[in-house]
Amino acid sequence: MTFDNSKSSQRQRDEESVEILRKLREKLLSDDISTARLAALNLSWKQEDGLAILTEALFGNYQRTAKKAAAYGLRSMNGRMQKMALEVLEQGLKHRDRTTKAACVKSISLMKG
């Protein structure tokens, strides 16, 4: 009995996590830069899932506010994710979109000095 309950509670937690990530992604793609930056900051604490969403926003066909907020979220990552976030930003330096390049240049300069 307890095994079935723990399995269903794990599934419920996973569904809740997916819903939280979906809402944060929607806010990241918002027109309001304050909302987008706050969502990016929250995503920076979500480890691999947050990195994937922020990378998608930075390299995808999204608005300028989403790209700037994604770069903000990437530079706000801490711990073991900071190195991966820096690699993503360095990839952005080679991107064809000038908004992406500009956001990456600024974020890298703020991270390094």
Side-chain angles (χ1 to χ4, degrees):
M1 272 298 199
T2 59
F3 180 72
D4 291 336
N5 288 339
S6 67
K7 195 173 185 179
S8 66
S9 66
Q10 177 66 33
R11 186 177 312 124
Q12 184 179 7
R13 278 188 297 222
D14 290 344
E15 290 171 4
E16 289 171 359
S17 297
V18 168
E19 183 64 22
I20 288 170
L21 289 170
R22 188 188 62 74
K23 286 180 181 179
L24 285 174
R25 184 180 179 279
E26 284 178 12
K27 289 180 180 180
L28 177 67
L29 302 177
S30 169
D31 291 337
D32 181 27
I33 190 67
S34 296
T35 303
R37 281 175 60 107
L38 185 60
L41 183 64
N42 288 331
L43 282 167
S44 73
W45 288 93
K46 301 293 182 196
Q47 301 292 321
E48 285 88 2
D49 295 329
L51 180 69
I53 293 171
L54 292 170
T55 303
E56 174 201 354
L58 185 65
F59 295 137
N61 189 17
Y62 297 107
Q63 297 176 355
R64 186 177 185 189
T65 55
K67 290 179 179 283
K68 285 185 170 187
Y72 172 76
L74 288 167
R75 78 172 183 253
S76 299
M77 291 194 129
N78 294 315
R80 67 183 180 88
M81 299 304 293
Q82 191 170 20
K83 185 177 180 182
M84 289 185 228
L86 184 59
E87 289 173 2
V88 170
L89 290 170
E90 288 172 349
Q91 289 174 6
L93 296 176
K94 301 172 190 146
H95 201 268
R96 58 180 160 72
D97 182 36
R98 67 177 183 204
T99 305
T100 301
K101 281 183 190 176
C104 290
V105 166
K106 184 171 182 177
S107 289
I108 289 173
S109 69
L110 289 170
M111 283 177 85
K112 291 188 176 179

